[in-house]
């Protein structure tokens, strides 16, 4: 649910059209997951949104590094945090 952080959930109904073969796959995967197809699709969409968010964060971090933001080795991090005992 992290893709909807800070958002009060108000359900909206969405209708999509998909090829029969795709719907069969959704039903099969949902059954394997022990979920109803609509719940399975919500989970798939939520996971995709979380992945997009994570990718955006990673791209932003890479851009900061390319622009010269300081990075630390594992040893430097341990020393900075006093964990190098």
């Amino acid at each position: 649910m992290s893709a909807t952080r800070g958002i009060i959930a108000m359900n909206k109904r969405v209708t999509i059209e998909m090829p029969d073969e795709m719907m069969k796959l959704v039903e099969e995967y949902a059954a394997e997951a022990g979920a109803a197809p609509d719940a399975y699709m919500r989970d798939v969409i939520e996971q995709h949104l979380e992945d997009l968010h994570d990718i955006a964060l990673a791209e932003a971090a890479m851009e900061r590094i390319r622009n010269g933001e300081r990075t630390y080795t594992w040893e430097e991090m341990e020393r900075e945090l006093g964990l190098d005992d």
Side-chain angles (χ1 to χ4, degrees), residues 28-67:
E28 288 174 21
Y29 290 137
E32 287 175 16
D38 60 332
Y40 179 78
M41 288 302 300
R42 275 192 308 270
D43 289 345
V44 167
I45 292 168
E46 182 177 9
Q47 184 61 54
H48 182 72
L49 293 172
E50 288 177 2
D51 290 348
L52 291 174
H53 179 73
D54 292 344
I55 290 167
L57 291 175
E59 288 174 347
M62 288 303 298
E63 186 62 27
R64 290 192 312 272
I65 291 168
R66 279 194 283 280
N67 289 329

Side-chain angles (χ1 to χ4, degrees), residues 11-23:
N11 292 341
K12 300 286 183 190
R13 181 169 302 276
V14 176
T15 302
I16 62 171
E17 290 184 28
M18 66 177 67
D20 288 340
E21 271 308 302
M22 186 183 295
M23 188 61 202

